[in-house]
Amino acid sequence: MRQRDDMTFPHEEYVRRIEGLRDRMRERKLDAVVISDPENLMYLTDYQTTGYSFFQALVVPLDGDCFMVTRNMEESNVHARTWVEKTRPYADNGDAIQRLIEALREFDLYNCTVGYERNSYFLPAYQQDRIHSAYTAGRLLDCFGIVEEGRMIKSKAEIEVMKKAAKATEAGMRAGIDAVKAGVTENDIGAAVSSAMFRAGGEPPAVMPYVTSGPRTMIGHATWEGRTVQDGEHVFLEIGGCYRRYHTAMMRTVVLQDKLSASMESAQRQMQKALRELKKYIQPGLTVSDADKIVRDIVSDGRHGGALITRSGYSIGIAFPPSWDEGYILSLMQGDPQILKEGMTFHIIPWVWGVDGNKTVGISDTIYVTEDGCESFFSLEEEFTLKPGDKKAASTPPKAEPPKAKSTNGKGASA
């Protein structure tokens, strides 16, 4: 492997990842794997591009050199960003799958047992069919998850990169909270969040921030659409900051009142308690199902009229659009017997959907599992932000306009 000066991690980190992958390949009796998922390519090589809708693949043999098959235009990303030295690009009017098959022949991998990511978002069925039709001398097996097994547990170096993403997340959230007031638009808030994230060193996230107000908070995964925030309403913010494709995320709620209603107070209290209790019990060995139950039971016990309608958390780390989470690798859900391990990272989301039947609110945290507990990536207070309206201005009646002077035109008529 060669080391580029601007790579995210030192040479040793990529060696560890490739060797870990090869250990799992031996366990599965695979001679090579074809990796096409953008997050997995980033994890193994530091390769990234926004052009991942075109076919791209890293081929990792059990022995010998790795190589990449990419679109001609994307080959520069291999040479500029990664340790990979061998590439086999294809032209825009070329045949990407045929280029892959030719490369497998060239590197003596045509009559082998080769794994491929059957569940990759960016390896569609028609391309998989063509690979099966063309790769006739060997055997193709689904190896989906073989890279993710390594990604699930972050190294200390990865944790440090996620701390940089967390600075962007927190800067964006503070700016978003500051920007909320009656009369501004959701777009104004989104602009403040985005500017602060990027000024704090953040890079383009997999998903732009979620900003909704009032009744629009009940629309799942909605974000700003120009609505003007009204006095007395609440604003829901969910922000995922990014650095070198690693993400951290948090939810917060701003209420434009001087006092919370009983139901909103209950929602805040239960979310705070859920985060506090879960972080008290998280440690290596706790099952995913038990972690979810802690959060779900506490949220359900409130008198807020809402519910936790989703999983209570998900793995988070490397991400490209369309999502910032690694929930397909591991999510905190009922019935999952997997255990937590040191180095796992989660966005914990005890958010409440449907407070009073028409409000969604959230307080969340991104944590990493330590040797004997967990730590948060953030320092921001885990509470609602109250922003009372300007009561003085609201209660002062408008000044009466002075009476207009009357004038005559000599006939007694007013002008």
Side-chain angles (χ1 to χ4, degrees), residues 254-392:
V254 183
V255 182
L256 295 176
Q257 297 176 5
D258 58 1
K259 184 179 179 182
L260 294 178
S261 67
S263 54
M264 290 287 270
E265 176 61 40
S266 173
Q268 175 181 237
R269 183 171 55 250
Q270 296 311 109
M271 287 187 288
Q272 291 172 325
K273 182 178 179 181
L275 287 170
R276 184 172 63 249
E277 291 299 305
L278 180 59
K279 286 188 279 189
K280 182 168 72 176
Y281 284 102
I282 278 184
Q283 63 178 13
L286 181 72
T287 69
V288 167
S289 183
D290 285 343
D292 176 82
K293 188 175 188 302
I294 290 170
V295 174
R296 197 167 299 280
D297 286 353
I298 292 172
V299 173
S300 300
D301 193 42
R303 298 182 177 181
H304 41 66
L308 175 59
I309 62 170
T310 63
R311 57 197 173 171
S312 61
Y314 50 79
S315 178
I316 190 168
I318 300 174
F320 287 79
S323 178
W324 68 43
D325 73 81
E326 297 178 336
Y328 73 98
I329 302 177
L330 185 63
S331 285
L332 302 185
M333 291 192 293
Q334 294 172 309
D336 191 332
Q338 295 185 79
I339 63 171
L340 305 186
K341 298 180 181 179
E342 182 180 358
M344 288 183 173
T345 53
F346 293 97
H347 183 203
I348 309 299
I349 52 171
W351 65 303
V352 184
W353 185 87
V355 175
D356 296 332
N358 62 359
K359 303 178 187 72
T360 293
V361 296
I363 304 173
S364 72
D365 193 13
T366 298
I367 59 96
Y368 57 98
V369 181
T370 63
E371 182 181 3
D372 56 2
C374 72
E375 295 287 343
S376 172
F377 282 100
F378 304 124
S379 62
L380 189 65
E381 297 79 5
E382 294 174 348
E383 62 187 12
F384 288 0
T385 299
L386 290 175
K387 286 193 165 186
D390 189 344
K391 286 187 174 181
K392 183 178 179 181

Side-chain angles (χ1 to χ4, degrees), residues 79-305:
H79 296 312
R81 296 179 183 272
T82 83
W83 51 261
V84 179
E85 297 184 17
K86 297 182 178 179
T87 61
R88 296 297 181 267
Y90 60 89
D92 281 10
N93 62 351
D95 188 325
I97 301 305
Q98 186 58 38
R99 193 73 181 98
L100 170 65
I101 299 301
E102 291 171 356
L104 291 173
R105 286 181 184 273
E106 177 187 351
F107 288 93
D108 296 324
L109 296 172
Y110 188 65
N111 58 350
C112 298
T113 301
V114 175
Y116 72 103
E117 296 174 303
R118 187 169 180 266
N119 200 36
S120 172
Y121 284 173
F122 301 99
L123 186 61
Y126 80 92
Q127 290 183 339
Q128 294 185 32
D129 289 346
R130 291 205 56 229
I131 294 172
H132 277 276
S133 297
Y135 193 77
T136 56
R139 184 167 61 144
L140 291 169
L141 297 176
D142 179 14
C143 70
F144 177 75
I146 196 168
V147 179
E148 286 84 348
E149 288 181 49
R151 284 175 52 198
M152 201 179 333
I153 298 175
K154 276 65 175 179
S155 67
K156 291 181 179 179
E158 288 177 286
I159 297 296
E160 291 304 310
V161 168
M162 290 182 70
K163 288 179 180 178
K164 293 181 180 180
K167 290 181 180 179
T169 307
E170 191 157 331
M173 184 60 78
R174 290 183 186 277
I177 291 172
D178 289 345
V180 173
K181 62 181 179 180
V184 304
T185 67
E186 294 174 348
N187 295 45
D188 294 329
I189 301 168
V193 172
S194 303
S195 176
M197 284 199 306
F198 299 151
R199 291 179 186 278
E203 296 166 0
V207 183
M208 290 297 286
Y210 293 107
V211 179
T212 52
S213 60
R216 293 192 68 249
T217 63
M218 290 292 291
I219 306 173
H221 284 143
T223 191
W224 63 79
E225 291 182 12
R227 183 181 186 273
T228 299
V229 179
Q230 305 298 313
D231 193 27
E233 292 185 335
H234 74 293
V235 175
F236 173 80
L237 303 170
E238 185 178 11
I239 298 169
C242 173
Y243 180 77
R244 294 297 176 98
R245 305 313 322 154
Y246 282 82
H247 291 68
T248 61
M250 72 159 72
M251 297 176 178
R252 289 294 187 272
T253 304
V254 183
V255 182
L256 295 176
Q257 297 176 5
D258 58 1
K259 184 179 179 182
L260 294 178
S261 67
S263 54
M264 290 287 270
E265 176 61 40
S266 173
Q268 175 181 237
R269 183 171 55 250
Q270 296 311 109
M271 287 187 288
Q272 291 172 325
K273 182 178 179 181
L275 287 170
R276 184 172 63 249
E277 291 299 305
L278 180 59
K279 286 188 279 189
K280 182 168 72 176
Y281 284 102
I282 278 184
Q283 63 178 13
L286 181 72
T287 69
V288 167
S289 183
D290 285 343
D292 176 82
K293 188 175 188 302
I294 290 170
V295 174
R296 197 167 299 280
D297 286 353
I298 292 172
V299 173
S300 300
D301 193 42
R303 298 182 177 181
H304 41 66

